[in-house]
Amino acid sequence: MTRLASDSLHDDLVGRHDKVLIIDFGSQVTQLIARRVREAGVYCEIAPFQSAERAFAELRPKAVILSGGPCSVLDADSPRAPQSVFDSGVPVLGICYGEQLLAAQLGGTVEAGHHREFGRADVEVVHTSALFDGVWSIGGRHPVWMSHGDRVTKLPPGFHRIAASENAPFAAIADETRRYYGVQFHLEVVHTPDGAQLLSNFVHKVAGLKRDWTMAAFRQEAVATIRAQVGQGRVLCGLSGGVDSAVAAVLIHEAIGERLTCVFVDHGLLRMGEAEQVVTLFRDHFNIPLVHVDASEQFIGELEGVSDPETKRKIIGRLFIDVFDAEAKKIAQDGKGAPEFLAQGTLYPDVIESVSFTGGPSVTIKSHHNVGGLPARMNMKLVEPLRELFKDEVRVLGRELGLPDAFVGRHPFPGPGLAIRCPGGITREKLEVLRKADAIYLEEIRNAGLYDTIWQAFAVLLPVRTVGVMGDGRTYDNVCALRAVTSVDGMTADFFPFDMNVLGRVATRIINEVKGINRVVYDVTSKPPGTIEWE
């Protein structure tokens, strides 16, 4: 997690925990390392390599992990780990670029790869190691996920080989005396099935760290951090109808109470019955101050006929800000002062997909989230208490905060709502057709007892019309695509293998009950590491 070094409350809360520092060299899955370490019950924080020296001194971790990255250690200006890490005597684990860096900085040799490995590979264990204890044994072959061009060709003094692959003779290396380890493969992704256990071995068996970090502890830290950031100010929280913003709102309310006002903007792009569910939850269950703004005419009016997806996102983002700005001005007139902060349910995937490693803008994936800041005219600061968490962690936190399972367990729903599930030009008629089809799809998934097994499922109204025959008549109507995926963290996913009887029931109901659709298809696309989040 990104550390607030100046926050003394933060220091007090985490000071009693054993800590791991993850030095980020630009890997797109660095946060997954943190997630796996937290799953092992150990507190950890991420620091970019540029500020790693300071972070190491401030955090005083009991172990360090060096992440992967896009650079080559052979480049003159490639990033390095602070020498203070190696001088300290703490255990170090290098992953991918991190292994090459470990070798290069400690006297080994790395060469440009003539045998690159990208994707699935098998490694063979050639030596016992504390890293493999209870998980892998000598002679065993195990699937891993590789992503490298360069490779280690000569080990530093004190190291020996513990595993090899076809194209990486030093796929895993160790200096057991100094407790230094390097792996060429990615331990953190689900495509390395035993990776989480190996990471757990590193933090517990190698580094000897306690298993004392829980979501309850995160809750405490987050509440203290929010109080320190907000002070006596007031916060305006934008509710989108999804789990993320709801959990953020309840967490902030716990921290500052009545100085939080939630604004739920109904943009007319929600799932069926969603507005009523959100209003009931916050007003009746949590008694949190809520302003319900029906802005559907404004949103749909500007979106109607717009086909470019990025233009849709920008329109929605701009209109959200306009509505929040207007509500902030209204609240300022109540005599208690204007809100100084705007809260959002931004998650880590939103951040990593919206900002490049170097800090500049990359391809904009999450333009409906203001991860880059707010317009100056709003004169408000962002509060994003969940920006270090993944979706499954947010759900755990939601249950910790007392949100009902039926709400916390809902499938992810993007801020732009049905706007980006209706490719091509948007009309009110298309939205209503899609809303009905989506509701039938989710209802049948629940009827089949599959809702909690599937990570995300939704319908898409394709910008395609086909000829069909219904009864004795010929039709020319829309095609509805269905998507359902399984995932743990939202960074990787695979299609859900439906029983064809379930899909058959869904398709039959949609065609029979939703006027305007005459064909239903199922999408079986998978999402490997590094691709953008599906919506």
Side-chain angles (χ1 to χ4, degrees):
M1 289 178 237
T2 302
R3 188 165 190 265
L4 302 177
S6 61
D7 185 357
S8 59
L9 287 174
H10 175 98
D11 293 339
D12 291 342
L13 279 167
V14 304
R16 64 181 182 273
H17 295 283
D18 289 341
K19 296 176 281 291
V20 173
L21 175 65
I22 300 167
I23 301 178
D24 183 13
F25 294 98
S27 170
Q28 58 195 338
V29 289
T30 296
Q31 191 74 4
L32 286 180
I33 304 173
R35 198 177 159 282
R36 303 292 179 237
V37 173
R38 294 202 296 265
E39 283 176 352
V42 176
Y43 181 78
C44 62
E45 297 182 358
I46 294 174
F49 71 88
Q50 300 97 324
S51 58
E53 183 89 48
R54 185 187 68 202
F56 182 74
E58 292 177 345
L59 189 63
R60 298 187 298 278
K62 292 188 175 181
V64 171
I65 298 176
L66 311 176
S67 85
C71 301
S72 169
V73 297
L74 302 174
D75 295 338
D77 58 350
S78 59
R80 292 290 190 265
Q83 183 58 39
S84 57
V85 170
F86 303 114
D87 294 339
S88 69
V90 302
V92 178
L93 170 65
I95 299 175
C96 197
Y97 178 85
E99 184 203 50
Q100 297 167 13
L101 193 65
L102 197 64
Q105 288 193 233
L106 296 178
T109 302
V110 177
E111 295 181 0
H114 300 290
H115 301 282
R116 300 185 305 166
E117 281 184 304
F118 294 96
R120 298 183 191 276
D122 289 326
V123 298
E124 181 179 356
V125 178
V126 298
H127 200 285
T128 57
S129 170
L131 191 66
F132 299 157
D133 187 35
V135 184
W136 290 353
S137 56
I138 292 179
R141 294 184 64 84
H142 305 277
V144 299
W145 188 267
M146 292 283 192
S147 181
H148 68 96
D150 299 345
R151 67 182 187 182
V152 177
T153 56
K154 179 183 176 183
L155 294 181
F159 278 81
H160 62 276
R161 180 174 67 164
I162 58 176
S165 72
E166 182 178 355
N167 291 322
F170 299 111
I173 60 177
D175 179 336
E176 306 279 359
T177 302
R178 289 185 288 181
R179 296 182 296 173
Y180 291 167
Y181 298 83
V183 293
Q184 187 58 72
F185 49 91
H186 285 278
L187 292 171
E188 65 273 32
V189 301
V190 295
H191 297 73
T192 299
D194 297 324
Q197 291 176 274
L198 299 179
L199 272 170
S200 180
N201 273 355
F202 175 72
V203 298
H204 295 304
K205 295 186 177 182
V206 173
L209 308 189
K210 299 189 295 288
R211 192 184 298 269
D212 64 355
W213 184 253
T214 64
M215 196 51 67
F218 174 84
R219 174 184 179 179
Q220 286 184 316
E221 182 206 357
V223 166
T225 302
I226 291 165
R227 287 172 178 163
Q229 179 184 4
V230 172
Q232 293 303 308
R234 301 182 69 186
V235 178
L236 197 67
C237 181
L239 292 179
S240 66
V243 175
D244 308 335
S245 59
V247 171
V250 175
L251 183 64
I252 294 169
H253 185 256
E254 180 171 296
I256 65 171
E258 296 301 306
R259 287 183 286 118
L260 167 72
T261 300
C262 291
V263 177
F264 172 54
V265 180
D266 184 351
H267 50 23
L269 305 167
L270 299 171
R271 293 171 288 199
M272 188 172 289
E274 189 143 42
E276 294 80 4
Q277 293 172 10
V278 173
V279 172
T280 298
L281 177 69
F282 279 84
R283 285 183 176 164
D284 298 345
H285 188 83
F286 285 102
N287 196 29
I288 295 176
L290 174 69
V291 177
H292 181 194
V293 182
D294 184 353
S296 55
E297 290 297 320
Q298 181 182 2
F299 276 79
I300 297 175
E302 289 210 31
L303 288 167
E304 199 158 12
V306 176
S307 58
D308 178 68
E310 187 57 25
T311 302
K312 290 179 185 177
R313 291 175 180 276
K314 289 179 179 178
I315 290 172
I316 292 168
R318 172 175 54 80
L319 291 178
F320 265 126
I321 290 297
D322 289 346
V323 173
F324 294 145
D325 194 23
E327 292 304 318
K329 291 175 181 176
K330 292 178 184 177
I331 293 171
Q333 298 172 1
D334 65 4
K336 298 179 181 179
E340 303 169 39
F341 299 88
L342 177 65
Q344 294 187 151
T346 305
L347 305 189
Y348 181 73
D350 301 326
V351 176
I352 200 169
E353 291 174 356
S354 299
V355 181
S356 73
F357 170 66
T358 57
S362 62
V363 177
T364 302
I365 305 301
K366 295 288 183 182
S367 49
H368 60 284
H369 278 288
N370 301 289
V371 292
L374 294 170
R377 64 183 171 84
M378 289 197 71
N379 194 30
M380 298 174 76
K381 302 171 186 175
L382 278 176
V383 177
E384 297 174 308
L386 311 180
R387 66 182 287 128
E388 309 297 339
L389 301 183
F390 287 86
K391 178 70 72 172
D392 60 314
E393 294 177 303
V394 172
R395 288 191 173 118
V396 174
L397 178 60
R399 293 185 179 97
E400 175 74 24
L401 290 165
L403 271 80
D405 272 346
F407 193 88
V408 174
R410 291 197 307 173
H411 291 178
F413 190 64
L418 300 182
I420 45 92
R421 293 180 180 173
C422 188
I426 290 178
T427 65
R428 288 170 174 80
E429 180 184 7
K430 282 185 177 182
L431 291 172
E432 191 58 28
V433 168
L434 176 57
R435 191 174 285 113
K436 290 177 180 177
D438 189 70
I440 290 171
Y441 184 30
L442 296 181
E443 181 182 338
E444 285 299 327
I445 287 175
R446 288 190 174 93
N447 290 343
L450 298 173
Y451 189 85
D452 293 334
T453 304
I454 296 169
W455 188 78
Q456 185 182 44
F458 55 86
V460 176
L461 194 65
L462 299 178
V464 176
R465 301 183 73 186
T466 64
V467 175
V469 176
M470 299 178 69
D472 296 322
R474 189 179 296 274
T475 63
Y476 184 57
D477 278 323
N478 298 290
V479 177
C480 176
L482 305 177
R483 190 193 292 278
V485 298
T486 58
S487 180
V488 175
D489 45 49
M491 297 291 284
T492 62
D494 204 354
F495 69 89
F496 182 77
F498 270 118
D499 182 303
M500 290 306 296
N501 290 324
V502 176
L503 281 179
R505 286 196 299 272
V506 174
T508 299
R509 282 196 60 193
I510 289 176
I511 290 172
N512 286 342
E513 299 177 31
V514 183
K515 186 177 180 179
I517 294 176
N518 69 358
R519 191 176 304 276
V520 176
V521 298
Y522 182 58
D523 186 347
V524 295
T525 309
S526 294
K527 175 191 170 189
T531 57
I532 64 172
E533 182 180 1
W534 275 333
E535 295 179 333

